[in-house]
Amino acid sequence: MIGTNHMVEAGFMDRLPFTHRDAALDLLKFNRLKPLVEMRQTAPPMALRNRFLLTSEQWTETLDAVILTKLSYFTISLSYPNSYINKLLEIAAYALGKPGMSLAEMYAMTEKEYPYFARWLKSAHDVKLLKYRHAQNLQKKAAAQKTS
């Protein structure tokens, strides 16, 4: 069951038609994020397509929901490099159907219907902001030491 081991945004999965849910749960349970994104860019393996008879459009919808749900599993912390956080946000924009969308736009798009995901986006923003401030403080300290 979604959310039993993790706090996740279940709304993306909940909005899928019942015909998609078995495939979505299988994808969520047995795949990491990278293979899910690769499947979304190409196609699910033939074994999955034979097991779950969905159209290309239905696979896209299902994979987007699973990817967004899987993203919400990540607890973004200061130990994440900015490049990693940025890649997660890029994947989120892609799965939301708007590649290149800003974090603020994603937040506005999701805050009402997907509140946990919106909080996840906010935490990504907060971590990036803390990292930026920390880097600024280090630069100021380094500059102060040079002048002393």
Side-chain angles (χ1 to χ4, degrees), residues 131-147:
K131 289 172 72 111
Y132 173 77
R133 288 180 180 160
H134 180 71
Q136 293 293 85
N137 287 337
L138 288 176
Q139 285 179 351
K140 287 179 186 176
K141 286 180 184 178
Q145 287 177 349
K146 284 183 181 179
T147 59

Side-chain angles (χ1 to χ4, degrees), residues 82-145:
N82 276 340
S83 60
Y84 190 64
I85 297 169
N86 291 340
K87 181 54 84 174
L88 293 174
L89 295 172
E90 180 184 329
I91 292 167
Y94 176 72
L96 286 168
K98 306 224 181 216
M101 184 180 350
S102 73
L103 195 153
E105 291 169 320
M106 285 188 281
Y107 181 85
M109 180 181 183
T110 60
E111 69 178 320
K112 287 186 175 73
E113 293 185 48
Y114 308 104
Y116 186 83
F117 192 77
R119 284 193 299 275
W120 180 85
L121 290 167
K122 184 175 180 335
S123 74
H125 174 266
D126 292 346
V127 166
K128 287 179 65 156
L129 186 60
L130 282 171
K131 289 172 72 111
Y132 173 77
R133 288 180 180 160
H134 180 71
Q136 293 293 85
N137 287 337
L138 288 176
Q139 285 179 351
K140 287 179 186 176
K141 286 180 184 178
Q145 287 177 349

Side-chain angles (χ1 to χ4, degrees), residues 6-23:
H6 303 278
M7 287 294 297
V8 299
E9 177 58 69
F12 298 111
M13 300 284 281
D14 290 344
R15 293 202 189 284
L16 285 175
F18 287 109
T19 56
H20 300 40
R21 291 196 184 179
D22 286 341

Side-chain angles (χ1 to χ4, degrees), residues 46-117:
M46 187 58 74
L48 272 175
R49 287 184 283 160
N50 288 335
R51 193 164 149 218
F52 303 106
L53 302 175
L54 301 176
T55 66
S56 292
E57 184 178 290
Q58 291 169 327
W59 275 115
T60 298
E61 183 182 2
T62 300
L63 282 160
D64 286 344
V66 172
I67 289 167
L68 292 164
T69 302
K70 187 70 85 167
L71 284 170
S72 72
Y73 277 55
F74 289 84
T75 303
I76 297 177
S77 69
L78 291 171
S79 65
Y80 280 33
N82 276 340
S83 60
Y84 190 64
I85 297 169
N86 291 340
K87 181 54 84 174
L88 293 174
L89 295 172
E90 180 184 329
I91 292 167
Y94 176 72
L96 286 168
K98 306 224 181 216
M101 184 180 350
S102 73
L103 195 153
E105 291 169 320
M106 285 188 281
Y107 181 85
M109 180 181 183
T110 60
E111 69 178 320
K112 287 186 175 73
E113 293 185 48
Y114 308 104
Y116 186 83
F117 192 77

